[in-house]
Amino acid sequence: MKSDIEIASQAQMKPIRYIAEKLSLTEDDWEPYGHYKAKLSVDLLEKLSDRPSGKVILTTSINPTPAGEGKSTVTVGLGQALNHLNKKAIIALREPSLGPTMGIKGGAAGGGYAQVIPMDEINLHFTGDIHAITSANNALAAFIDNHIQHGNEMHIDPRRIGWKRVMDINDRALREVVVGLGGPGKGIPRQDGFNITVASELMAILCLAANLQDMKRRIGKIVIGYTYEKQPVNVEQLGFEGALTLLLKDAIKPNLVQTLENTPALIHGGPFANIAHGCNSVMATKLASKLGDYVVTEAGFGADLGAEKFLNIKTRAAGLEPDAVVIVATIRALKMHGGLKKDQLNSQDLEALNKGMENLKKHIETIEQFQLPFIVAVNKFPADTQEEIDFLTKWCEKHSVEVSVVDVFAEGGQGGLDLAGKVVRLCEAKTTSLHYSYELDDPIELKINKIAKKIYGAGGVEFSSKASKQMVQMEQLGYGNLPVCMAKTQYSLSDRPEKLGRPKDFTITVKEFHPSVGAGFIVALTGDVMTMPGLPKYPAALNMDITEEGVIKGLF
Amino acid sequence: MKSDIEIASQAQMKPIRYIAEKLSLTEDDWEPYGHYKAKLSVDLLEKLSDRPSGKVILTTSINPTPAGEGKSTVTVGLGQALNHLNKKAIIALREPSLGPTMGIKGGAAGGGYAQVIPMDEINLHFTGDIHAITSANNALAAFIDNHIQHGNEMHIDPRRIGWKRVMDINDRALREVVVGLGGPGKGIPRQDGFNITVASELMAILCLAANLQDMKRRIGKIVIGYTYEKQPVNVEQLGFEGALTLLLKDAIKPNLVQTLENTPALIHGGPFANIAHGCNSVMATKLASKLGDYVVTEAGFGADLGAEKFLNIKTRAAGLEPDAVVIVATIRALKMHGGLKKDQLNSQDLEALNKGMENLKKHIETIEQFQLPFIVAVNKFPADTQEEIDFLTKWCEKHSVEVSVVDVFAEGGQGGLDLAGKVVRLCEAKTTSLHYSYELDDPIELKINKIAKKIYGAGGVEFSSKASKQMVQMEQLGYGNLPVCMAKTQYSLSDRPEKLGRPKDFTITVKEFHPSVGAGFIVALTGDVMTMPGLPKYPAALNMDITEEGVIKGLF
């Protein structure tokens, strides 16, 4: 089979004008960025507010493994398949970060015949949104150190600055740094560190903002640190919310592209799914629901992280709820959850598969708790045997769980027709409504206990002494009613990445909190959560190239 | 009078399609970036190579002062004026850096009725070129530290890494940092520092490259540091030239915009004029000369820095030479060179003006040395008296120097008609050809002596012991035949910013060298050259905002 970049570069792309016209957009509603990308007007959502909203389908998955689950691929394939059924479907995805692209992943735009295109541009700088966030984030950091340098009127305690600089690259050497060295003309020395851009609170804000002015309001509320008197200092007090909003005025406009089958796709915002909520922007998802009859959207990592935050955080900010949930699983990944190593996955192993089903079962129970209709999508890989697939589908039938085997990677939308048909019926038959895991006025400790027990299946939660103190402080500061954004490893239901399958009787340890007041949530950090990834010994970048004829290599 | 952003936002912008069509570009030759910006095809220059080249007009100035010279304003105004005379003129400018925009300058796109537009977008993220350079620069930095972390096969000496990280922001706290702290998982601790992005060698490479493959070749030759055995390590040895070129594949395409009077403008590349050569890209300048009969282009700072490097470095790389040079001066700035303070400039002072003329005189002599036709453009300010202007024009007549008083700020092209007419005649009457200040095969020491004596009027050059050692090393490594890129303060002809006017009998001190082998020059650092600026106490960003109606404030 051809590589992703080969398939993508041989695609019959339509000019973006054609996609925009298919969505009945007028000239004022969009701006071209090259011939195959567009930004939609920041006012479009307001303009369409009277339209009825289409159905929202959320794609999530089991806990990710190195075997690959293909959640984005299924999301794109399902969107394409819905169009085969003459449903007007739009895909809403996150923007890929350059860090993982240059490092391990080599790209993140679906795969095979279920990709969004132009794949190379989406994976590289796209329309510049992430770069705008990097600029705004680092401008704020410079403004803070500059304020201290020029007399520190606000009494900011340099030891209590929470606002970190960012880069959209995996650079472990920047995790812990000392800045401001070199004497009085070069700032005040202090310990600092860099996050990857997609972990910036500004990214979360852009994704949760209702519109430009709401973004400005949220930016003003960002707590950048504390004074020597331990009072929070926010951006509004420093006076930079206008400049930062100006820097993000185009980044907030949703981006329109297409899939290999010319299905419209909005790709906008890409917050990290550990320190942030891991979903594409509220504006893009809502806009997609106004422009189409069906929106297929995705939340980061497994249902314990991405879907939990989509459902408890994003739906609250957006005022929307999914009409159906798709839980993506692969035979390979389930076998890894059942104990196999990555090099053992190519031969049939029903015992490992059976054991690994426990991971899927937990995520099914989780979605049931939210009282949402759902279906399991088995994303087919070449080495899967018919017996393994039969085992999985029979298991589902036995447990009265809807299931569909898809092969959108090899067949595009055609490979997801069964799934699409079943999803349409699920949406139409929906009678329940979203049941949150916690109430906003639950105390912070109770919120976290509810998430840990209901969603992760934990026995309990422990709080470090630092975290316990911070909980009291945050409730005193009035942040107690915000939702909690859990920062936890994506690999396990627990906070220990090596515990695959369905761990039992474990405790979640909350080490510390970080209030993201602008984004509107409190981050609870568990285990060893990395907010600046590192590169492997041989980064994907080593294989990247562009030839004299303009042929691009090494993206996948 | 209205502010720059008010004038810009009330402009009658033509859709960029109109500007492209006026230049007879076909659909394949350009891509839209919004409705008012475009990127031109990377192959366009090759496609037009058989066309005759238009005349090239270089704009330079006296040494800049806080009083303002308005070199960009005159450049834009002259381009507009040439069109009034029915000459097909195109303007070629540098891209503004976000750092100074957010800090002191609030923008850099000309002024008054001589601006390039859309001014807000040009000043903010434009088409993302500078962000692409930031990404590529910092990806390379991460690759280097990652190489060391994973075993350091190349034996890179962490104490001899010359490749710095960059940000497009003024952030003094990043001038000197320690990275890699926090233990074995977080890299190797080493002293490091950040430059502003426009000081990156990648920016210089993008500006000097003939095409995409030449850019790749140059990137491969970048020396990132030295091994423990003191051998240079380049990017090709590390294997990342393909990935970095891929990251810059769109940034290398020249950007097309327009002026307030719809004159086409190519704005592309913006290397710092101290550590780099300070001119817009070779590709843009050459393309402009193929698309128009006249190109008006600008070099950074005064003639001692920008024009010297344009003439000795850029013309050699580009294979072009100016047909005429415009030396911009203002009465106000000349009076500062004559000893006045900034708050004394609003009343007439012929004595100070007379004294300050020495600075202009030196730059006139410099351009005469290059054997190029030139004219002095007096950029009018409201407080200038008729007597002062008469003094200046009579001085020019007495010295047989062409002169023209322009008021393009208040009148647009109309205010530069006299200048435009005279420039056309200068170009047509040109008989001499460009005389370089030094030969490429002069030893490094001799090249620097020639620049210092001929261009700065210095008595001699001193080399620190470090610099002397480096000169020997660089000649041994085979870099001896590269041109020299002087890093010197822009404020004075000497390397001491406080020495205004025309200092005499001074010595230039070269402290150290930095070989920019990819860019194709050796940087000689003199005095205290800052490659990462700082912010003032009240940065321009404090006044920036975007209102509910989308009105932008604080850019100028």
Side-chain angles (χ1 to χ4, degrees), chain B residues 267-295:
Chain B
I267 304 193
H268 191 225
F272 236 32
N274 47 24
I275 195 154
H277 62 295
C279 319
N280 73 305
S281 78
V282 162
M283 283 180 72
T285 307
K286 290 180 83 164
L287 205 45
S289 81
K290 296 293 179 184
L291 293 169
D293 299 325
Y294 288 85
V295 187

Side-chain angles (χ1 to χ4, degrees), chain A residues 438 440 442 444 447 478-484 515-517 520-522:
Chain A
Y438 54 83
L440 290 181
D442 287 340
I444 297 171
K447 282 177 193 150
Y479 310 151
N481 284 346
L482 296 174
V484 172
S516 288
V517 186
F521 52 65
I522 292 165

Side-chain angles (χ1 to χ4, degrees), chain A residues 304-338:
Chain A
D304 54 327
L305 272 179
E308 184 272 307
K309 297 186 213 176
F310 185 99
L311 297 169
N312 285 315
I313 299 176
K314 179 172 173 177
T315 59
R316 280 176 159 127
L320 57 76
E321 66 173 79
D323 296 283
V325 177
V326 176
I327 306 173
V328 178
T330 59
I331 301 284
R332 299 165 67 78
L334 289 169
K335 288 195 290 189
M336 278 196 89
H337 278 294

Side-chain angles (χ1 to χ4, degrees), chain A residues 30 32 34-35 125 131 135 146 150 165 171-173 175-178 180-181 185-186 216 247 535-536 545-546, chain B residues 30 32 34-35 125 131 135 146 150 165 171-173 175-178 180-181 185-186 216 247 535-536 545-546:
Chain A
W30 63 282
H35 296 304
H125 310 289
H131 293 326
S135 292
N146 188 58
H150 286 294
R165 291 172 173 86
D171 193 344
R172 74 169 67 71
R175 283 178 190 154
E176 290 189 28
V177 302
V178 171
L181 297 170
K186 297 177 183 177
K216 184 156 100 182
L247 283 169
L535 290 167
D545 202 0
I546 176 165
Chain B
W30 63 283
H35 296 303
H125 311 289
H131 293 327
S135 291
N146 188 58
H150 286 292
R165 291 171 173 86
D171 192 344
R172 74 170 66 71
R175 282 176 191 156
E176 290 189 26
V177 302
V178 170
L181 298 171
K186 297 177 183 176
K216 183 156 104 185
L247 284 169
L535 290 168
D545 202 2
I546 176 166

Side-chain angles (χ1 to χ4, degrees), chain A residues 123-372:
Chain A
N123 275 317
L124 295 173
H125 310 289
F126 200 27
T127 56
D129 297 343
I130 297 182
H131 293 326
I133 290 169
T134 303
S135 292
N137 184 103
N138 294 340
L140 177 54
F143 296 148
I144 295 166
D145 276 309
N146 188 58
H147 179 93
I148 297 172
Q149 174 79 359
H150 286 294
N152 200 6
E153 243 171 75
M154 295 281 305
H155 256 221
I156 299 168
D157 185 344
R159 302 160 308 175
R160 289 197 169 82
I161 295 174
W163 192 257
K164 290 189 173 186
R165 291 172 173 86
V166 298
M167 278 201 190
D168 187 25
I169 190 75
N170 293 6
D171 193 344
R172 74 169 67 71
L174 294 180
R175 283 178 190 154
E176 290 189 28
V177 302
V178 171
V179 300
L181 297 170
K186 297 177 183 177
I188 288 175
R190 63 181 184 88
Q191 221 177 330
D192 198 7
F194 283 67
N195 289 335
I196 190 161
T197 302
V198 289
S200 170
E201 186 175 348
L202 285 175
M203 174 59 96
I205 287 175
L206 181 133
C207 288
L208 290 169
N211 51 45
L212 185 78
Q213 291 305 312
D214 183 43
M215 181 170 73
K216 184 156 100 182
R217 187 188 58 78
R218 288 170 181 267
I219 289 172
K221 288 167 73 178
I222 293 172
V223 173
I224 59 98
Y226 297 85
T227 64
Y228 284 108
E229 297 77 24
K230 297 190 185 161
Q231 291 305 302
V233 178
N234 66 35
V235 170
E236 204 170 47
Q237 289 171 301
L238 292 167
F240 291 107
E241 72 280 14
L244 300 182
T245 306
L246 188 57
L247 283 169
L248 297 175
K249 78 177 174 63
D250 295 311
I252 199 179
K253 299 173 186 165
N255 307 295
L256 175 67
V257 291
Q258 62 191 294
T259 73
L260 287 172
E261 297 178 4
N262 315 120
T263 305
L266 296 185
I267 304 194
H268 191 225
F272 236 32
N274 48 23
I275 196 154
H277 62 293
C279 318
N280 73 306
S281 78
V282 163
M283 283 181 71
T285 307
K286 290 180 83 166
L287 204 45
S289 82
K290 296 293 180 185
L291 292 170
D293 299 326
Y294 288 84
V295 186
V296 190
T297 190
E298 177 194 14
F301 300 138
D304 54 327
L305 272 179
E308 184 272 307
K309 297 186 213 176
F310 185 99
L311 297 169
N312 285 315
I313 299 176
K314 179 172 173 177
T315 59
R316 280 176 159 127
L320 57 76
E321 66 173 79
D323 296 283
V325 177
V326 176
I327 306 173
V328 178
T330 59
I331 301 284
R332 299 165 67 78
L334 289 169
K335 288 195 290 189
M336 278 196 89
H337 278 294
L340 296 194
K341 302 267 170 267
K342 205 183 161 184
D343 56 6
Q344 299 172 319
L345 299 174
N346 287 332
S347 43
Q348 177 172 304
D349 191 332
L350 294 174
E351 201 184 315
L353 177 59
N354 183 41
K355 216 171 138 213
M357 290 301 293
E358 284 296 309
N359 187 269
L360 174 60
K361 191 153 180 276
K362 176 66 195 91
H363 292 297
I364 288 172
E365 290 169 19
T366 294
I367 302 303
E368 282 174 338
Q369 285 175 33
F370 284 106
Q371 301 185 2
L372 293 171

Side-chain angles (χ1 to χ4, degrees), chain B residues 72-85:
Chain B
S72 303
T73 305
V74 173
T75 305
V76 174
L78 173 57
Q80 294 182 150
L82 285 163
N83 277 291
H84 286 257
L85 301 182

Side-chain angles (χ1 to χ4, degrees), chain B residues 225-394:
Chain B
Y226 297 86
T227 64
Y228 284 108
E229 297 77 24
K230 297 190 186 161
Q231 291 306 302
V233 177
N234 66 35
V235 170
E236 203 169 48
Q237 289 170 301
L238 292 167
F240 291 106
E241 73 280 13
L244 300 182
T245 305
L246 187 57
L247 284 169
L248 297 174
K249 77 177 173 64
D250 295 312
I252 198 178
K253 299 175 186 164
N255 306 295
L256 176 67
V257 290
Q258 63 192 291
T259 74
L260 287 171
E261 298 179 3
N262 315 121
T263 304
L266 296 185
I267 304 193
H268 191 225
F272 236 32
N274 47 24
I275 195 154
H277 62 295
C279 319
N280 73 305
S281 78
V282 162
M283 283 180 72
T285 307
K286 290 180 83 164
L287 205 45
S289 81
K290 296 293 179 184
L291 293 169
D293 299 325
Y294 288 85
V295 187
V296 189
T297 189
E298 176 194 14
F301 300 137
D304 54 326
L305 273 178
E308 184 272 307
K309 296 186 213 175
F310 184 100
L311 297 169
N312 284 315
I313 299 176
K314 180 174 172 175
T315 59
R316 280 174 157 130
L320 57 77
E321 66 173 79
D323 296 283
V325 176
V326 177
I327 307 173
V328 179
T330 59
I331 302 284
R332 300 164 65 77
L334 289 170
K335 288 195 289 189
M336 278 197 88
H337 279 294
L340 296 194
K341 300 268 171 268
K342 206 184 161 184
D343 56 5
Q344 300 172 318
L345 300 174
N346 287 331
S347 42
Q348 177 173 305
D349 191 333
L350 294 174
E351 201 185 313
L353 177 58
N354 183 41
K355 215 170 138 212
M357 289 302 292
E358 285 296 308
N359 187 268
L360 173 60
K361 190 153 180 276
K362 175 68 195 89
H363 293 297
I364 288 173
E365 290 169 20
T366 295
I367 303 302
E368 281 174 340
Q369 286 175 33
F370 285 107
Q371 300 184 1
L372 294 171
F374 67 92
I375 181 169
V376 171
V378 184
N379 184 22
K380 220 168 157 273
F381 269 67
D384 299 348
T385 69
Q386 194 58 47
E387 263 187 274
E388 288 174 322
I389 291 174
D390 289 345
F391 178 90
L392 179 43
T393 51
K394 278 188 190 130

